[in-house]
Amino acid sequence: MKIIDIKTFQRVDFINITGEIEKIINDSKVDNGLVCLFVPHTTASLTLNENADPSVKNDIKSKLENLIPKNDNYTHAEGNSDSHLKSSIFGASLTLIISRGRPVLGTWQGIYYCEFDGPRNRKLYIKIIKDNDSI
Amino acid sequence: MKIIDIKTFQRVDFINITGEIEKIINDSKVDNGLVCLFVPHTTASLTLNENADPSVKNDIKSKLENLIPKNDNYTHAEGNSDSHLKSSIFGASLTLIISRGRPVLGTWQGIYYCEFDGPRNRKLYIKIIKDNDSI
Amino acid sequence: MKIIDIKTFQRVDFINITGEIEKIINDSKVDNGLVCLFVPHTTASLTLNENADPSVKNDIKSKLENLIPKNDNYTHAEGNSDSHLKSSIFGASLTLIISRGRPVLGTWQGIYYCEFDGPRNRKLYIKIIKDNDSI
């Protein structure tokens, strides 16, 4: 398992980590298999979404905030219940296919590390499973 | 990795692909393992839900539309920011268990390809990992 | 594949199953790999979230109920369309990394079985894939 550090800069921040994941898979020399990406935090997540026009990311962030605002009738004293819910909605685990030494992604897909209670220093865990039945 | 084509017919359309996935797993002759289903698009997803009464699918689609309408205060010029958010909420990657040559599903579960910005011609990627430790 | 029984006690109930999953992985003697947890029901899910302060769980449940109430303009006659939508949002499949004989989790992460239409007797399926390339 590999562990990498991710730095986030805003309370809600989506960091494109596609390049880091491609490099780790390339370095592993695994040509075919699966990669499981895992966020060991309860107010962060992973998602796949548009890598081109940044307005998509901004619309996603603002609509999420509109549905699940930071301040609402929450009881948790830390003031980040919205972040916990957003984390469960987007999910902390993401499995991708590895083919020809690369994570399989569509043309417009980027892998995003989603911060919902930043800025913080975060971790990402990466586990690659080689498919021994493929040549 | 296998790639199949999925045709969607409405802007928001949930296509039951359980039969296609069962066939691909059966053809692979893998009895035990995992299968990763992956959508290489940023306005589509995968989900598991009820395969019997179509009113469930319709209620899910209309309640989602009510929460995240097509038209809102979005800035992305393509007019499909709602579709991008719905894609991240449902998720583009789905891992299932293979047992006795079939994807493990509950009695009422179907595998759905979820279109949020159709109609379109879509792709689905399928990777099967054989469990070499099971007999 | 292992199957375990989960009992839920309320209509919406989040059961911490971390201990059960740790025990199953420990019993399997697999030190490194992946584990896929799978819910074979269409009104239940899995999620990772805070294992310490129970107010987080309560805030998540009440905000979800506020966004997707039990009673709304649904057509499905069983009166649980909200539960089906919540199940798709949180997801019925969860993949975790196994390292040193344990599921990899952050300090504050617990694995929750999420009931959205209980109380019921539920099942959880668990499949472990050993990583034969790790020592």
Side-chain angles (χ1 to χ4, degrees):
Chain A
M1 184 176 67
K2 262 196 91 69
I3 304 180
I4 63 172
D5 293 298
I6 309 280
K7 200 169 173 57
T8 65
F9 299 92
Q10 304 169 40
R11 183 167 195 269
V12 178
D13 204 2
F14 289 7
I15 312 283
N16 190 330
I17 57 169
T18 313
E20 284 89 334
I21 304 306
E22 286 174 342
K23 187 179 178 327
I24 287 167
I25 292 170
N26 185 63
D27 291 350
S28 76
K29 311 287 182 208
V30 170
D31 279 331
N32 290 287
L34 297 179
V35 58
C36 180
L37 311 180
F38 186 82
V39 169
H41 311 288
T42 57
T43 52
S45 297
L46 294 161
T47 200
L48 296 161
N49 222 304
E50 158 125 8
N51 57 16
D53 183 349
S55 68
V56 171
K57 185 166 83 171
N58 294 334
D59 283 347
I60 289 175
K61 288 160 67 175
S62 65
K63 182 63 192 173
L64 261 188
E65 184 65 24
N66 164 262
L67 287 169
I68 306 165
K70 180 181 187 316
N71 298 305
D72 209 328
N73 298 313
Y74 305 122
T75 61
H76 181 50
E78 288 182 39
N80 61 358
S81 284
D82 66 307
S83 320
H84 286 285
L85 175 53
K86 287 164 189 162
S87 169
S88 278
I89 289 174
F90 273 32
S93 174
L94 178 64
T95 303
L96 303 177
I97 299 168
I98 299 172
S99 178
R100 301 180 187 178
R102 296 172 62 89
V104 174
L105 291 170
T107 311
W108 306 106
Q109 277 179 322
I111 309 167
Y112 286 92
Y113 196 102
C114 304
E115 172 65 75
F116 293 117
D117 191 34
R120 297 206 196 205
N121 294 312
R122 298 294 203 172
K123 299 284 181 194
L124 177 69
Y125 297 167
I126 301 114
K127 176 72 181 176
I128 293 171
I129 294 281
K130 186 174 168 181
D131 179 6
N132 286 304
D133 291 301
S134 319
I135 307 305
Chain B
M1 185 177 68
K2 261 196 91 70
I3 304 180
I4 63 172
D5 294 298
I6 309 279
K7 201 169 174 56
T8 65
F9 298 93
Q10 303 170 40
R11 183 167 194 269
V12 179
D13 204 2
F14 290 7
I15 312 283
N16 189 330
I17 58 170
T18 313
E20 283 89 336
I21 304 306
E22 285 174 343
K23 187 180 179 328
I24 287 167
I25 292 171
N26 184 64
D27 290 351
S28 76
K29 311 287 181 206
V30 170
D31 279 331
N32 290 286
L34 296 179
V35 58
C36 180
L37 310 180
F38 186 82
V39 169
H41 311 288
T42 57
T43 52
S45 298
L46 293 161
T47 201
L48 296 160
N49 222 304
E50 158 127 7
N51 58 16
D53 182 349
S55 68
V56 170
K57 185 166 84 170
N58 294 334
D59 283 347
I60 289 175
K61 287 160 67 175
S62 65
K63 182 63 192 174
L64 261 189
E65 184 64 24
N66 165 260
L67 286 169
I68 306 164
K70 181 181 187 314
N71 298 307
D72 208 329
N73 297 314
Y74 305 122
T75 60
H76 182 50
E78 287 182 39
N80 60 358
S81 285
D82 67 307
S83 320
H84 285 284
L85 175 52
K86 289 165 188 162
S87 170
S88 277
I89 289 174
F90 273 31
S93 173
L94 178 65
T95 303
L96 303 177
I97 299 168
I98 300 172
S99 179
R100 301 181 187 178
R102 296 172 62 91
V104 174
L105 292 171
T107 311
W108 306 105
Q109 278 179 322
I111 309 166
Y112 286 92
Y113 197 102
C114 304
E115 172 65 75
F116 294 117
D117 190 35
R120 296 206 198 205
N121 294 312
R122 298 293 202 173
K123 298 284 181 192
L124 176 69
Y125 297 167
I126 301 115
K127 176 72 180 176
I128 292 170
I129 294 282
K130 186 175 169 180
D131 179 7
N132 287 304
D133 291 301
S134 319
I135 307 304
Chain C
M1 184 176 68
K2 261 197 90 69
I3 304 180
I4 64 172
D5 294 298
I6 309 279
K7 200 168 173 57
T8 66
F9 298 92
Q10 303 170 40
R11 182 166 196 269
V12 178
D13 204 1
F14 289 7
I15 312 282
N16 189 329
I17 57 169
T18 313
E20 284 89 335
I21 304 306
E22 285 174 342
K23 187 178 178 330
I24 287 166
I25 292 171
N26 185 63
D27 290 351
S28 77
K29 311 286 182 209
V30 170
D31 279 331
N32 290 286
L34 296 179
V35 57
C36 181
L37 310 180
F38 186 81
V39 168
H41 311 288
T42 56
T43 52
S45 296
L46 294 161
T47 200
L48 295 160
N49 223 304
E50 158 127 6
N51 57 16
D53 182 350
S55 68
V56 171
K57 186 167 83 172
N58 294 334
D59 282 348
I60 289 175
K61 287 160 69 175
S62 64
K63 183 64 191 174
L64 261 189
E65 184 64 23
N66 165 262
L67 286 170
I68 306 164
K70 180 181 188 314
N71 298 306
D72 208 328
N73 297 313
Y74 305 122
T75 60
H76 182 50
E78 288 182 38
N80 60 358
S81 285
D82 67 307
S83 320
H84 285 286
L85 175 53
K86 289 165 188 161
S87 169
S88 278
I89 288 174
F90 273 31
S93 173
L94 178 64
T95 303
L96 303 176
I97 299 168
I98 299 171
S99 179
R100 302 179 188 180
R102 295 173 62 90
V104 173
L105 292 170
T107 311
W108 305 106
Q109 277 179 323
I111 309 166
Y112 286 92
Y113 197 102
C114 305
E115 171 66 74
F116 294 117
D117 191 34
R120 297 206 197 205
N121 294 312
R122 298 294 204 172
K123 300 283 182 194
L124 177 67
Y125 297 167
I126 301 114
K127 176 72 182 176
I128 293 170
I129 295 282
K130 186 175 169 181
D131 179 7
N132 286 305
D133 291 300
S134 318
I135 306 306

